[in-house]
Amino acid sequence: MDVTERKRKEKLLYIQRDLGIALSTSSSLNETLERLLDSCLQIDEINAGGIYLIDEETGDMTLAIQRGFSPNFVEHASSYTVNSPNAKLVVIGQPVYKQHIDLLLTSRDDALRHENLRATAIIPVKSGKKVIAAFYLASSLELEFPDSVRTALETIATQFGVFISRIRLEEKLKECRKRKKS
């Protein structure tokens, strides 16, 4: 086995382990998102990323956190309505690995054509069978993500779905308690 690939796999396992430990003690959604994105950006092939949250009532996607994207990207890709091709791609629930240029689905996305991004990964995050969030991870260096990176990202997304559901439930419970006290 190639030593480089073995070292990559070891690093990915350490990232997953450390993230699992960190998320188990996380109590706020923002803290969880920060830790999650920081962990994904430790992967050598990824140098930009964001996490979209899906509104439980409307189904719209909003960029909750991002690192490494240009202000232009953030301005034009910060939200998508439930009926947009971008949101529909996520709600299908399957990971998508493509070149950035191949994911420009609408005329609105034309503003993103000149981003210096190559390989991209859109990873839906599920709670049960329902998609509740999505990772958008990118590389300005790589043309595609190796299988070991894809597996790690999908594993992280599976773990994250459990944590985000737990934290959202805890936040709703806190709100109910506050209203009861009032």
Side-chain angles (χ1 to χ4, degrees):
M1 180 187 269
D2 180 13
V3 173
T4 305
E5 182 61 20
R6 190 182 83 229
K7 287 186 182 271
R8 175 189 292 131
K9 286 180 180 180
E10 284 177 14
K11 182 177 181 179
L12 293 171
L13 285 173
Y14 284 121
I15 289 169
Q16 289 172 343
R17 181 204 65 197
D18 293 346
L19 178 61
I21 291 167
L23 291 181
S24 67
T25 61
S26 181
S27 60
S28 80
L29 186 56
N30 287 339
E31 178 186 355
T32 300
L33 296 175
E34 295 271 343
R35 287 182 174 181
L36 178 63
L37 188 54
D38 289 345
S39 294
C40 289
L41 292 174
Q42 287 178 25
I43 298 170
D44 294 334
E45 292 81 0
I46 298 171
N47 57 6
I51 301 172
Y52 287 87
L53 295 179
I54 297 178
D55 186 287
E56 293 176 277
E57 293 175 20
T58 66
D60 295 345
M61 290 184 358
T62 303
L63 186 61
I65 186 172
Q66 66 84 26
R67 297 212 204 326
F69 290 129
S70 72
N72 181 58
F73 183 96
V74 174
E75 177 184 345
H76 290 91
S78 63
S79 65
Y80 293 99
T81 63
V82 67
N83 293 321
S84 69
N86 307 69
K88 287 180 180 179
L89 183 65
V90 169
V91 174
I92 290 171
Q94 295 298 315
V96 176
Y97 300 95
K98 296 226 180 242
Q99 292 287 307
H100 169 72
I101 201 81
D102 295 334
L103 290 171
L104 303 177
L105 304 173
T106 67
S107 59
R108 183 180 120 180
D109 291 339
D110 285 342
L112 304 175
R113 192 163 302 284
H114 302 291
E115 293 293 316
N116 185 26
L117 300 174
R118 291 178 160 191
T120 56
I122 299 174
I123 314 290
V125 176
K126 297 179 184 179
S127 176
K129 293 184 179 188
K130 185 177 181 181
V131 177
I132 59 172
F135 301 161
Y136 188 95
L137 303 166
S139 174
S140 59
L141 307 171
E142 304 294 327
L143 292 175
E144 65 180 26
F145 294 121
D147 288 339
S148 56
V149 170
R150 292 177 181 204
T151 300
L153 293 174
E154 291 170 29
T155 301
I156 289 170
T158 301
Q159 290 176 327
F160 179 59
V162 172
F163 289 107
I164 192 170
S165 294
R166 176 184 58 84
I167 289 171
R168 279 183 168 171
L169 190 61
E170 287 173 2
E171 288 178 352
K172 285 180 184 178
L173 194 58
K174 285 178 188 176
E175 275 184 42
C176 287
R177 287 180 181 152
K178 280 183 183 178
R179 275 191 248 132
K180 253 187 174 178
K181 287 182 180 181
S182 299

